[in-house]
Structures are given as structure tokens and as C-alpha cells.
Amino acid sequence: MKNMITDEELVKIAMEMRDRAYAPYSGFAVGAALLCEDGSVYRGCNVENSSYGATICAEQTAAVSAVADGNVQFVKIAVAGTGDDYCVPCGICRQFLREFSADLVFLCANSSGEFKVFGYDDLLPNAFEL
Ligand code: THU
């Protein structure tokens, strides 16, 4: 695996991606950086909408970008939010990403770039799949 990027570097990309967030309604900017098996990194940010339910999370935009590029071998995702709390993915994102890997590693960062590492054992045990 060309998995040369460090966790710290992946988190840094996620933090940079917060600047691209379109979050005028919540004011909560989120950035994501999704590492794939071949070493590719796909970037995402949350994109909100005046019809709130149409909002897309940062993790989903990164994942959709990867899939659209023909890359579904997800390895690791860094998520960086706003504030002191570690930004863990919402329930929909956990399920959305689980579609492509049961072994995905989550690097959940706060605004300072400190992060905690999680897996699906923690975030979505007994996940639904068809
Ligand atoms: N958000 C994400 O981008 N990822 C998550 O996992 C949690 C929530 C976004 C959605 C919305 O734009 C804002 O954060 C507040 O919920």
C-alpha cells in the first residue's frame, strides 16, 4: 500500500478543508480528508443548504469525490471540526462510509489538530448491511 502520509498530515488536510466549508446556517465548519489504499487523498467539507435536510457532511463529500473518481478502497479518514471537542462523524456518515469498508480508521480532530483514533468497533458496532 502506498500509504505514505502520516496521521498528522491527514489531519492537517482535514483542518485546511474546513476553510472550504459552506456552513452559513450552523456556523460549524467541518473538513475531511479520506485516504485510499493507493495513497490518494480525497478532500471534503460540509455543504449546507437553506433546506436544512439537503445539507451534506464533510465526510460524505470526500467519499462521494472518491467514488466518483473510481476509488472505493477507503483506508482512513480524518475529520476536523470547530471547537475544543473531537469531531466524531454523525450517524449517517458512519453508515455511509461503512458501505465501503468495515475497517476504516477514523482520526477525529478538534480545532487545534489534536485527534483521537476510532474504528467501527467503537463507532458502529453491529452495522447494518444487506
Ligand atoms: N457535520 C459534518 O460535516 N460531519 C459530521 O459528521 C457532523 C456534522 C456538519 C453538518 C452541518 O453542516 C454541521 O456540521 C452542523 O451539524
Side-chain angles (χ1 to χ4, degrees):
M1 189 198 347
K2 284 185 275 174
N3 186 357
M4 303 303 288
I5 192 167
T6 66
D7 288 356
E8 287 73 17
E9 287 168 334
L10 200 63
V11 167
K12 187 165 177 285
I13 295 170
M15 292 173 71
E16 290 167 0
M17 284 307 296
R18 285 182 311 201
D19 294 339
R20 303 260 177 95
Y22 177 75
Y25 303 106
S26 73
F28 192 82
V30 184
L34 173 64
L35 175 66
C36 288
E37 181 76 21
D38 68 353
S40 303
V41 176
Y42 294 90
R43 293 158 167 77
C45 59
N46 52 334
V47 182
E48 297 187 345
N49 192 276
S50 57
S51 177
Y52 294 173
T55 291
I56 312 172
C57 288
E59 300 92 317
Q60 289 175 57
T61 61
V64 165
S65 174
V67 175
D69 197 37
N71 210 334
V72 295
Q73 306 294 319
F74 297 0
V75 173
K76 197 177 280 185
I77 187 165
V79 187
T82 310
D84 294 336
D85 292 336
Y86 298 104
C87 190
V88 291
C90 77
I92 292 172
C93 286
R94 295 175 196 203
Q95 178 67 31
F96 192 88
L97 294 163
R98 177 65 174 67
E99 180 75 18
F100 302 99
S101 170
D103 303 315
L104 188 65
V105 175
F106 292 82
L107 311 177
C108 299
N110 62 17
S111 57
S112 312
E114 299 159 329
F115 62 92
K116 283 189 174 174
V117 183
F118 296 103
Y120 275 120
D121 288 351
D122 306 303
L123 298 181
L124 195 65
N126 304 305
F128 172 81
E129 55 185 31
L130 287 176

